[in-house]
Coordinates of all heavy atoms in Angstrom, one line a residue:
M30 N -10.6 -11.6 4.3 CA -9.6 -10.6 3.7 C -9.9 -10.6 2.2 O -10.2 -11.5 1.5 CB -8.2 -11.1 4.0 CG -7.8 -11.0 5.4 SD -7.6 -9.3 6.1 CE -6.0 -8.8 5.5
A31 N -9.8 -9.3 1.8 CA -9.9 -9.1 0.3 C -8.6 -8.7 -0.2 O -7.7 -8.2 0.5 CB -10.9 -8.0 0.1
N32 N -8.4 -8.9 -1.5 CA -7.2 -8.6 -2.2 C -7.5 -7.9 -3.5 O -8.3 -8.4 -4.3 CB -6.4 -9.9 -2.4 CG -5.1 -9.7 -3.2 OD1 -5.1 -9.5 -4.4 ND2 -4.0 -9.6 -2.5
T33 N -6.9 -6.8 -3.8 CA -7.2 -6.0 -4.9 C -6.0 -5.4 -5.5 O -5.1 -5.1 -4.7 CB -8.2 -4.8 -4.6 OG1 -9.4 -5.4 -4.1 CG2 -8.5 -4.0 -5.9
V34 N -5.8 -5.4 -6.8 CA -4.7 -4.8 -7.4 C -5.1 -3.5 -8.0 O -6.0 -3.4 -8.8 CB -4.1 -5.7 -8.5 CG1 -2.8 -4.9 -9.1 CG2 -3.6 -7.0 -7.9
L35 N -4.5 -2.4 -7.6 CA -4.8 -1.0 -8.1 C -3.7 -0.6 -9.0 O -2.5 -0.9 -8.8 CB -4.9 0.0 -7.0 CG -5.9 -0.2 -5.9 CD1 -5.7 0.8 -4.8 CD2 -7.3 -0.2 -6.4
K36 N -4.0 0.1 -10.1 CA -3.0 0.7 -11.0 C -2.9 2.2 -10.5 O -3.8 2.9 -10.4 CB -3.5 0.7 -12.4 CG -2.6 1.2 -13.4 CD -2.0 0.1 -14.2 CE -0.7 0.5 -15.0 NZ -1.1 1.2 -16.3
V37 N -1.6 2.5 -10.2 CA -1.4 3.8 -9.7 C -0.4 4.6 -10.5 O 0.8 4.1 -10.8 CB -0.9 3.7 -8.2 CG1 -0.6 5.1 -7.7 CG2 -1.9 3.1 -7.3
E38 N -0.7 5.8 -11.1 CA 0.1 6.5 -11.9 C 0.9 7.5 -11.1 O 0.4 8.1 -10.0 CB -0.7 7.3 -12.9 CG -1.4 6.5 -13.9 CD -0.5 5.9 -15.0 OE1 0.7 6.1 -15.0 OE2 -1.0 5.1 -15.9
G39 N 2.1 7.9 -11.5 CA 2.8 8.9 -10.8 C 4.0 8.5 -9.9 O 4.8 9.3 -9.4
M40 N 4.1 7.2 -9.7 CA 5.2 6.7 -8.9 C 6.5 6.5 -9.7 O 6.4 5.9 -10.8 CB 4.8 5.2 -8.3 CG 3.6 5.3 -7.4 SD 3.3 3.7 -6.6 CE 2.9 2.6 -8.0
T41 N 7.5 7.1 -9.3 CA 8.7 7.1 -10.1 C 10.0 6.5 -9.4 O 10.9 6.2 -10.0 CB 9.1 8.5 -10.6 OG1 9.3 9.3 -9.4 CG2 8.1 9.0 -11.5
C42 N 10.0 6.5 -8.0 CA 11.2 6.0 -7.4 C 10.8 5.4 -6.0 O 9.7 5.2 -5.7 CB 12.1 7.2 -7.1 SG 11.4 8.4 -6.0
G43 N 11.9 5.0 -5.3 CA 11.6 4.3 -4.0 C 10.9 5.1 -3.0 O 10.2 4.6 -2.2
H44 N 11.1 6.5 -3.1 CA 10.4 7.4 -2.2 C 8.9 7.3 -2.5 O 8.1 7.2 -1.5 CB 10.9 8.8 -2.4 CG 10.1 9.8 -1.6 ND1 10.2 9.9 -0.3 CD2 9.1 10.6 -2.0 CE1 9.4 10.9 0.2 NE2 8.7 11.3 -0.9
C45 N 8.5 7.2 -3.7 CA 7.1 7.1 -4.1 C 6.5 5.8 -3.6 O 5.4 5.7 -3.0 CB 6.9 7.2 -5.6 SG 7.5 8.7 -6.4
V46 N 7.4 4.7 -3.7 CA 6.9 3.4 -3.3 C 6.6 3.4 -1.8 O 5.6 3.0 -1.3 CB 8.0 2.3 -3.6 CG1 7.6 1.1 -2.9 CG2 8.1 2.1 -5.1
S47 N 7.6 4.0 -1.0 CA 7.3 4.0 0.4 C 6.2 4.9 0.8 O 5.4 4.7 1.7 CB 8.6 4.4 1.2 OG 9.1 5.6 0.8
S48 N 6.0 6.1 0.1 CA 4.9 6.9 0.4 C 3.5 6.3 0.2 O 2.6 6.4 1.0 CB 4.9 8.2 -0.5 OG 6.0 9.0 -0.3
V49 N 3.5 5.5 -0.9 CA 2.1 4.8 -1.2 C 1.9 3.7 -0.3 O 0.9 3.5 0.3 CB 2.2 4.3 -2.7 CG1 1.1 3.3 -3.0 CG2 2.2 5.5 -3.7
E50 N 3.0 3.0 0.0 CA 2.8 1.8 1.0 C 2.4 2.3 2.4 O 1.6 1.7 3.0 CB 4.1 1.0 1.0 CG 4.2 0.1 -0.3 CD 5.5 -0.8 -0.3 OE1 6.3 -0.7 0.6 OE2 5.5 -1.6 -1.2
K51 N 3.0 3.5 2.8 CA 2.7 4.0 4.0 C 1.2 4.6 4.0 O 0.5 4.4 5.1 CB 3.7 5.2 4.3 CG 3.6 5.7 5.8 CD 4.7 6.7 6.0 CE 4.5 7.4 7.3 NZ 5.4 8.6 7.4
A52 N 0.8 5.1 3.0 CA -0.6 5.7 2.9 C -1.6 4.5 3.0 O -2.6 4.6 3.7 CB -0.8 6.4 1.6
V53 N -1.2 3.4 2.3 CA -2.1 2.3 2.4 C -2.2 1.7 3.8 O -3.3 1.4 4.3 CB -1.7 1.2 1.4 CG1 -2.5 -0.1 1.5 CG2 -1.8 1.7 -0.1
K54 N -1.0 1.7 4.4 CA -1.0 1.2 5.8 C -1.8 2.1 6.7 O -2.5 1.6 7.6 CB 0.5 1.1 6.3 CG 0.7 0.4 7.6 CD 2.2 0.3 7.9 CE 2.4 -0.4 9.2 NZ 3.7 -0.3 9.6
N55 N -1.6 3.4 6.6 CA -2.4 4.3 7.4 C -3.9 4.2 7.2 O -4.6 4.6 8.1 CB -1.9 5.8 7.2 CG -0.5 6.0 7.7 OD1 0.0 5.3 8.5 ND2 0.1 7.1 7.2
A56 N -4.3 3.7 6.0 CA -5.7 3.5 5.8 C -6.2 2.2 6.4 O -7.4 1.9 6.3 CB -5.9 3.6 4.3
G57 N -5.3 1.5 7.0 CA -5.7 0.2 7.6 C -5.5 -1.0 6.8 O -6.0 -2.1 7.2
A58 N -4.9 -0.9 5.7 CA -4.7 -2.1 4.8 C -3.2 -2.4 4.7 O -2.3 -1.7 5.3 CB -5.3 -1.8 3.4
S59 N -2.9 -3.3 3.8 CA -1.5 -3.7 3.6 C -1.2 -3.6 2.1 O -2.0 -4.1 1.3 CB -1.2 -5.1 4.1 OG 0.0 -5.6 3.6
G60 N -0.2 -2.8 1.7 CA 0.0 -2.6 0.3 C 1.4 -3.0 -0.1 O 2.4 -2.8 0.7
K61 N 1.5 -3.6 -1.3 CA 2.8 -3.9 -1.9 C 2.9 -3.3 -3.3 O 2.0 -3.6 -4.1 CB 2.9 -5.4 -1.9 CG 4.3 -5.9 -2.4 CD 5.3 -5.9 -1.3 CE 6.7 -6.2 -1.8 NZ 7.3 -5.1 -2.6
V62 N 3.9 -2.4 -3.4 CA 4.0 -1.7 -4.7 C 5.0 -2.4 -5.7 O 6.1 -2.9 -5.3 CB 4.5 -0.3 -4.6 CG1 4.9 0.4 -5.9 CG2 3.6 0.6 -3.7
D63 N 4.5 -2.6 -6.9 CA 5.5 -3.0 -8.0 C 5.6 -1.8 -8.9 O 4.8 -1.5 -9.6 CB 4.9 -4.2 -8.8 CG 5.9 -4.7 -9.8 OD1 7.0 -5.1 -9.4 OD2 5.6 -4.6 -11.0
L64 N 6.8 -1.2 -8.8 CA 7.0 0.1 -9.5 C 7.1 -0.1 -11.0 O 6.5 0.7 -11.7 CB 8.4 0.6 -9.0 CG 8.8 2.1 -9.4 CD1 7.7 3.1 -8.9 CD2 10.1 2.5 -8.7
A65 N 7.6 -1.2 -11.4 CA 7.8 -1.4 -12.9 C 6.4 -1.5 -13.6 O 6.2 -0.9 -14.6 CB 8.6 -2.7 -13.1
S66 N 5.5 -2.2 -12.9 CA 4.1 -2.3 -13.5 C 3.1 -1.3 -13.0 O 2.0 -1.3 -13.5 CB 3.6 -3.7 -13.3 OG 3.4 -4.0 -11.9
K67 N 3.6 -0.4 -12.1 CA 2.7 0.6 -11.5 C 1.5 0.0 -10.8 O 0.4 0.6 -10.9 CB 2.3 1.7 -12.6 CG 3.5 2.4 -13.2 CD 2.9 3.3 -14.3 CE 4.0 4.0 -15.0 NZ 3.6 4.7 -16.3
K68 N 1.7 -1.2 -10.3 CA 0.6 -1.8 -9.6 C 0.8 -1.8 -8.1 O 1.9 -2.0 -7.6 CB 0.3 -3.2 -10.1 CG -0.3 -3.1 -11.5 CD -0.4 -4.5 -12.1 CE -1.1 -4.4 -13.5 NZ -0.8 -5.5 -14.3
V69 N -0.3 -1.7 -7.4 CA -0.2 -1.8 -5.9 C -1.2 -2.9 -5.5 O -2.4 -2.8 -5.7 CB -0.7 -0.5 -5.2 CG1 -0.6 -0.6 -3.7 CG2 0.2 0.7 -5.7
T70 N -0.6 -4.0 -4.9 CA -1.5 -5.1 -4.4 C -1.9 -4.7 -3.0 O -1.1 -4.5 -2.1 CB -0.7 -6.4 -4.4 OG1 -0.2 -6.6 -5.7 CG2 -1.6 -7.5 -4.0
V71 N -3.2 -4.6 -2.8 CA -3.7 -4.2 -1.5 C -4.5 -5.4 -0.8 O -5.3 -6.0 -1.4 CB -4.7 -3.0 -1.7 CG1 -5.3 -2.6 -0.3 CG2 -4.0 -1.9 -2.3
D72 N -4.0 -5.7 0.3 CA -4.8 -6.7 1.1 C -5.5 -6.0 2.3 O -4.9 -5.2 3.0 CB -3.7 -7.7 1.8 CG -3.1 -8.6 0.8 OD1 -3.9 -9.4 0.0 OD2 -1.9 -8.5 0.6
Y73 N -6.7 -6.3 2.4 CA -7.5 -5.6 3.5 C -8.7 -6.4 4.0 O -9.2 -7.3 3.3 CB -8.0 -4.2 2.9 CG -8.9 -4.2 1.8 CD1 -10.3 -4.0 1.9 CD2 -8.4 -4.5 0.5 CE1 -11.1 -4.1 0.9 CE2 -9.2 -4.6 -0.6 CZ -10.6 -4.4 -0.4 OH -11.5 -4.5 -1.5
D74 N -9.1 -6.0 5.1 CA -10.3 -6.6 5.7 C -11.5 -5.8 5.3 O -11.7 -4.7 5.8 CB -10.2 -6.7 7.2 CG -11.4 -7.4 7.9 OD1 -12.4 -7.5 7.3 OD2 -11.2 -7.7 9.1
E75 N -12.3 -6.3 4.4 CA -13.4 -5.5 3.8 C -14.5 -5.2 4.8 O -15.3 -4.3 4.5 CB -13.9 -6.2 2.6 CG -14.7 -7.5 2.8 CD -13.8 -8.7 2.7 OE1 -12.7 -8.7 3.3 OE2 -14.2 -9.7 2.2
T76 N -14.5 -5.9 6.0 CA -15.4 -5.5 7.0 C -15.0 -4.3 7.8 O -15.8 -3.7 8.5 CB -15.7 -6.7 8.0 OG1 -14.5 -6.9 8.7 CG2 -16.1 -7.9 7.3
K77 N -13.7 -3.9 7.6 CA -13.2 -2.8 8.4 C -12.7 -1.6 7.6 O -12.7 -0.5 8.1 CB -12.1 -3.3 9.3 CG -12.5 -4.2 10.5 CD -11.3 -4.7 11.2 CE -11.7 -5.7 12.3 NZ -10.5 -6.4 12.8
V78 N -12.3 -1.9 6.4 CA -11.6 -0.9 5.6 C -12.3 -0.9 4.2 O -12.6 -1.9 3.6 CB -10.2 -1.3 5.3 CG1 -9.5 -0.3 4.4 CG2 -9.4 -1.4 6.7
S79 N -12.7 0.3 3.8 CA -13.2 0.4 2.4 C -12.1 0.7 1.4 O -11.2 1.4 1.7 CB -14.3 1.5 2.3 OG -13.7 2.8 2.2
L80 N -12.3 0.1 0.2 CA -11.3 0.3 -0.8 C -11.2 1.8 -1.2 O -10.2 2.3 -1.5 CB -11.6 -0.6 -2.0 CG -10.6 -0.7 -3.1 CD1 -9.2 -1.2 -2.5 CD2 -11.0 -1.6 -4.2
D81 N -12.4 2.5 -1.1 CA -12.4 3.9 -1.4 C -11.5 4.7 -0.5 O -10.8 5.6 -0.9 CB -13.8 4.4 -1.4 CG -14.7 4.1 -2.6 OD1 -14.1 3.7 -3.6 OD2 -15.9 4.2 -2.5
A82 N -11.4 4.3 0.7 CA -10.6 5.0 1.7 C -9.1 4.8 1.4 O -8.3 5.7 1.5 CB -10.9 4.5 3.1
V83 N -8.8 3.5 0.9 CA -7.4 3.2 0.5 C -7.0 4.1 -0.7 O -6.0 4.7 -0.8 CB -7.3 1.7 0.2 CG1 -5.9 1.4 -0.3 CG2 -7.5 0.9 1.4
K84 N -8.0 4.1 -1.7 CA -7.7 4.9 -2.9 C -7.5 6.4 -2.6 O -6.6 7.1 -3.1 CB -8.8 4.8 -3.9 CG -8.9 3.4 -4.5 CD -10.2 3.4 -5.5 CE -10.3 2.0 -6.1 NZ -11.6 2.0 -6.9
A85 N -8.3 6.9 -1.6 CA -8.3 8.3 -1.2 C -6.9 8.6 -0.6 O -6.3 9.6 -0.8 CB -9.5 8.7 -0.4
A86 N -6.5 7.6 0.2 CA -5.2 7.8 0.9 C -4.0 7.9 0.0 O -3.2 8.7 0.1 CB -5.0 6.7 1.9
I87 N -4.1 7.1 -1.1 CA -3.1 7.2 -2.1 C -3.1 8.5 -2.9 O -2.1 9.1 -3.0 CB -3.2 6.0 -3.1 CG1 -3.0 4.6 -2.3 CG2 -2.3 6.1 -4.2 CD1 -3.3 3.4 -3.2
E88 N -4.4 8.9 -3.2 CA -4.4 10.2 -4.0 C -4.1 11.4 -3.1 O -3.5 12.3 -3.6 CB -5.9 10.3 -4.5 CG -6.1 9.2 -5.6 CD -7.4 9.2 -6.3 OE1 -8.4 9.7 -5.7 OE2 -7.5 8.7 -7.5
D89 N -4.3 11.3 -1.8 CA -3.9 12.4 -0.9 C -2.4 12.5 -1.0 O -1.9 13.7 -0.6 CB -4.3 12.0 0.6 CG -5.7 12.4 0.8 OD1 -6.4 13.0 0.0 OD2 -6.2 12.0 1.9
Q90 N -1.6 11.5 -1.3 CA -0.2 11.6 -1.5 C 0.3 12.2 -2.8 O 1.4 12.4 -3.1 CB 0.5 10.3 -1.2 CG 0.3 9.7 0.2 CD 0.8 10.6 1.3 OE1 2.0 11.0 1.2 NE2 0.0 10.9 2.3
G91 N -0.7 12.4 -3.6 CA -0.4 13.0 -5.0 C -0.3 12.1 -6.1 O 0.2 12.4 -7.2
Y92 N -0.7 10.9 -5.9 CA -0.7 9.8 -6.9 C -2.1 9.6 -7.5 O -3.1 9.8 -6.7 CB 0.0 8.6 -6.5 CG 1.3 8.8 -5.9 CD1 1.5 8.9 -4.6 CD2 2.5 9.0 -6.7 CE1 2.7 9.1 -4.0 CE2 3.7 9.3 -6.2 CZ 3.8 9.4 -4.8 OH 5.0 9.7 -4.2
D93 N -2.2 9.1 -8.7 CA -3.5 8.9 -9.3 C -3.8 7.4 -9.4 O -3.1 6.6 -10.0 CB -3.5 9.5 -10.7 CG -3.5 11.0 -10.7 OD1 -4.2 11.6 -9.9 OD2 -2.9 11.6 -11.6
V94 N -4.9 7.1 -8.8 CA -5.4 5.7 -8.9 C -6.3 5.6 -10.2 O -7.2 6.4 -10.3 CB -6.3 5.3 -7.7 CG1 -6.7 3.8 -7.9 CG2 -5.5 5.4 -6.4
V95 N -5.9 4.8 -11.1 CA -6.6 4.8 -12.4 C -7.4 3.5 -12.6 O -7.3 2.6 -11.8 CB -5.6 4.9 -13.6 CG1 -5.0 6.3 -13.6 CG2 -4.6 3.9 -13.6
Ligands
CU125 CU1 9.5 9.1 -6.1

C-alpha cells in the first residue's frame, strides 16, 4: 500500500469533504480530508490504482490538486 498526501484547493465545507472523499473512494483508494490544512491523505494499492486517476477524480468534482 502506498500513502500520499495531496494538497487540494477549493474545499470549504463538509459537503466538499464528503465529495472529495467519495471521489477518492470511487477511484479505488481511501481518502481522509483535513479541511483546515486543505490536505487529503490517500491510501491506495499502487499495483491497482494510479495516483493520477485519484487526482483526476478529485478534479472532476471541481477541486484543484496543487
Ligand atoms: Cu463545500
